[in-house]
Amino acid sequence: MIGLEDITYSYRTGEYKALDHISLTFRRGEWVSIIGHNGSGKSTLVKILMGILDDYEGSITVDGELLDEENRITMRKKFAIVFQNPDNQFVGATVEDDVAFGLENNGVPRDEMVRRTEEALKAVNMLEFRDHEPSRLSGGQKQRVAIASALAMAPDVLILDEATSMIDPEGRREVLDILRTIHRRGKTTLIFITHDLSEIEDSDHAVIMKDGQIISEGTVEEIYKDTDALLASRLVLPFHMKISKRLLDGSFLSYDELVERL
Ligand SMILES: Nc1ncnc2c1ncn2[C@@H]1O[C@H](COP(=O)(O)OP(=O)(O)OP(=O)(O)O)[C@@H](O)[C@H]1O
Ligand SMILES: [Mg+2]
């Protein structure tokens, strides 16, 4: 669905490349995780995909169409994003208003707006909170509402840029559960950015970035076996991966694989 071809980008103030010859493919309905240490270029990649940064080298195709000056605005509508800070993304006084906001802005007729708002809140298990004030929700609940607001726009691609990094473990589990449900429906391409390796296990494809480059990509199993890239990435390894490396054959295993082997 999306093809990045040899993308290079430098910020005006930066002496080095924030993205350095990145080529990447996202298939429709696929869950792709992008992992990397601080400053590895993950958010820059997202900004380029969303059309926020446009002076890059290389080319991007979305649904077979080359992204350019003319179609940038229409293409952007295919994407929705959930950010890191659960407190910075609310505009509505109630959960329901918040989810409806984007639809109203786009001139969606009232009946349809009500239906889509309900559907989106149902999808993230937050319908019963429709009259609540967003600021009084837990971190996980806030991110679920943010996901509902994104889903209500019926995007082809849902991007989560470290959307789990500021919430507690319970909240993270809630968000990942919702992503699994969205993924099972198969309609939405998920781009999930994290620096927590234990959160990639459900993705179809994972990419490790370092200093603006892709240093490894493949299935989660392939990523876990790429010990050189994992060590080079300077990511914190989850406990079960450290255990599997120390106790078993020196390779990293997924949680389930480790349980089985033990
Ligand atoms: N607005 C900006 N101006 C100049 N340099 C920037 C800007 N935004 C990011 N950079 C630089 O570009 C590089 C990539 O940053 P980016 O935000 O894409 O990394 P990231 O992988 O998202 O990191 P994090 O995990 O901290 O969110 C970094 O070296 C960063 O300092
Ligand atoms: Mg970032």
Side-chain angles (χ1 to χ4, degrees):
M1 187 204 169
I2 309 168
L4 302 180
E5 186 69 42
D6 212 15
I7 299 290
T8 294
Y9 184 82
S10 306
Y11 288 96
R12 282 199 189 89
T13 48
E15 294 116 62
Y16 48 89
K17 293 169 180 145
L19 293 178
D20 190 3
H21 299 282
I22 297 283
S23 295
L24 200 53
T25 306
F26 300 90
R27 285 171 232 288
R28 186 174 295 281
E30 191 177 44
W31 178 341
V32 179
S33 291
I34 301 179
I35 26 182
H37 199 260
N38 291 123
S40 55
K42 306 178 300 294
S43 295
T44 305
L45 188 70
V46 168
K47 286 184 224 163
I48 285 181
L49 275 177
M50 303 276 299
I52 298 167
L53 300 174
D54 54 12
D55 46 345
Y56 52 84
E57 286 168 45
S59 62
I60 302 177
T61 47
V62 179
D63 290 327
E65 211 181 317
L66 190 70
L67 193 67
D68 60 24
E69 213 43 63
E70 303 215 322
N71 60 22
R72 182 157 289 122
I73 305 289
T74 29
M75 290 291 205
R76 191 182 288 180
K77 296 206 172 115
K78 294 180 190 247
F79 296 84
I81 186 161
V82 177
F83 294 102
Q84 187 171 38
N85 190 337
D87 292 313
N88 282 354
Q89 31 200 339
F90 295 108
V91 284
T94 64
V95 162
E96 189 172 45
D97 284 352
D98 196 80
V99 177
F101 180 81
L103 298 172
E104 190 163 29
N105 254 356
N106 277 9
V108 172
R110 189 167 166 83
D111 288 355
E112 193 186 334
M113 186 166 83
V114 171
R115 185 179 56 76
R116 279 167 67 172
T117 301
E118 255 187 51
E119 258 174 31
L121 282 172
K122 235 185 250 167
V124 300
N125 279 329
M126 285 297 285
L127 193 58
E128 60 183 295
F129 290 88
R130 65 200 297 169
D131 298 321
H132 287 233
E133 223 179 285
S135 61
R136 299 202 175 178
L137 302 173
S138 74
Q141 289 170 335
K142 284 177 186 164
Q143 288 304 60
R144 277 152 59 194
V145 174
I147 292 173
S149 300
L151 282 181
M153 306 302 287
D156 291 327
V157 186
L158 176 62
I159 303 175
L160 293 100
D161 190 354
E162 302 205 36
T164 52
S165 67
M166 289 177 74
I167 54 180
D168 61 21
E170 177 59 26
R172 287 173 181 218
R173 265 193 297 277
E174 289 172 23
V175 168
L176 285 164
D177 276 344
I178 299 303
L179 295 185
R180 283 183 203 108
T181 310
I182 297 169
H183 186 50
R184 266 197 301 275
R185 286 203 239 137
K187 283 191 233 151
T188 318
T189 305
L190 292 173
I191 303 182
F192 181 72
I193 295 179
T194 179
H195 45 230
D196 188 339
L197 274 165
S198 64
E199 293 185 336
I200 69 168
E201 292 197 358
D202 290 286
S203 45
D204 302 305
H205 194 81
V207 176
I208 307 182
M209 289 186 67
K210 186 186 177 226
D211 300 334
Q213 296 179 333
I214 293 175
I215 60 165
S216 188
E217 72 171 303
T219 61
V220 175
E221 288 72 34
E222 284 164 350
I223 291 285
Y224 281 176
K225 292 204 163 58
D226 193 350
T227 36
D228 290 345
L230 285 170
L231 294 172
S233 70
R234 291 184 288 130
L235 291 162
V236 178
L237 300 175
F239 185 63
H240 71 267
M241 287 176 71
K242 287 187 204 154
I243 293 276
S244 67
K245 190 163 160 53
R246 291 284 290 274
L247 285 186
L248 299 166
D249 54 7
S251 63
F252 297 117
L253 300 176
S254 70
Y255 188 86
D256 289 342
E257 245 182 313
L258 175 66
V259 169
E260 189 138 308
R261 293 277 289 275
L262 285 176

